[in-house]
Amino acid sequence: MPSMYDIYENHAVEYDELVDREDCRGELAAFMRGFVGRGERVLEAGTGTGRVTALYAARAASVLCCDRSAHMLERARSRLAAHGDRIAFRVLDNLALAGAADSGPFDLVVEGWSFGHTVSDFPGREDETTDALVAACRACLAPGGRLLFLETLGTNTSGPVAPAPFLDAFYRRLEDEHGFRRTVLRTDYRFPSLAEARRVTGFFFGDRMAASIEAAEVPEWTGAWTLA
Ligand SMILES: C[S@@+](CC[C@H](N)C(=O)[O-])C[C@H]1O[C@@H](n2cnc3c(N)ncnc32)[C@H](O)[C@@H]1O
């Protein structure tokens, strides 16, 4: 099984086999419709292959899609081709996101399942890393701008819980120190078969997760942290 970062550098197609099966009842899509206003200028960190971007791109005035992986952004470019005139791409590390301010200001900074990785990169420094990420986002915002962070609250679990202590520390810091509000979304995966559910989740999450999957529909919990 490849590491997460190996997947992001080399396996964007396989990554999409997973995320394109997520949110089978459209809760995240509905949330994004309600959150991103028509004509807003959006900065998205950790865009990956653009599956979150695709949920709101038609309404945005412009989107700057950033990611550390040029490989993932290349796939995002083809997914988002229909909106090509309003979308730009930049290879940029999350911790250097303040550098995107030169293309701003932005009404909204969005990230999905990416800042959690950055927090995990600095074990024992969860608070400092969270503060640095929030500060980088704020540096890019127009007055009155908003932040939206989407992160996991568990895969194949019966309820929404931060799946690792570093994520729990990250989420608590967002809420307790920075005033973010948490909304819980149910974003289950639906695969064509149990075998496919096991194959695809196993590639991304590992053999132990694959062995724990018991149905073609796999529970997934997502937290949406917002700061107005
Ligand atoms: C789980 S994927 C999420 C992608 C996309 N937002 C989505 O929801 O499908 C994590 C993404 O974060 C990117 N990433 C991880 N660490 C990063 C960092 N330090 N700076 C920028 N991007 C990073 C990876 O390259 C990958 O595209």
Side-chain angles (χ1 to χ4, degrees), residues 4-137:
M4 291 273 173
Y5 286 147
D6 184 27
I7 290 174
Y8 303 146
E9 289 306 319
N10 300 296
H11 298 286
V13 172
E14 292 89 339
Y15 176 79
D16 275 352
E17 285 187 329
L18 177 76
V19 294
D20 287 348
R21 294 285 174 192
E22 195 177 350
D23 195 32
C24 65
R25 279 180 287 280
E27 274 198 33
L28 175 61
F31 179 87
M32 295 304 292
R33 271 197 301 279
F35 194 78
V36 182
R38 203 162 278 286
E40 291 200 291
R41 301 159 294 178
V42 185
L43 170 62
E44 188 175 326
T47 295
T49 57
R51 58 101 173 220
V52 172
T53 330
L55 297 176
Y56 66 82
R59 283 192 314 289
S62 63
V63 188
L64 176 57
C65 292
C66 300
D67 200 288
R68 187 164 69 179
S69 164
H71 173 69
M72 295 290 268
L73 285 183
E74 204 44 52
R75 193 156 168 88
R77 193 186 292 277
S78 53
R79 186 197 287 266
L80 301 167
H83 313 288
D85 54 332
R86 288 173 295 109
I87 301 197
F89 298 88
R90 193 186 295 185
V91 174
L92 193 64
D93 194 281
N94 289 333
L95 286 171
L97 197 67
D102 62 6
S103 303
F106 299 92
D107 303 304
L108 190 55
V109 179
V110 176
E111 77 86 17
W113 298 271
S114 185
F115 283 180
H117 283 306
T118 305
V119 173
S120 82
D121 288 342
F122 300 95
R125 296 181 51 86
E126 288 82 4
D127 287 355
E128 296 92 322
T129 309
T130 303
D131 294 353
L133 290 167
V134 172
C137 291

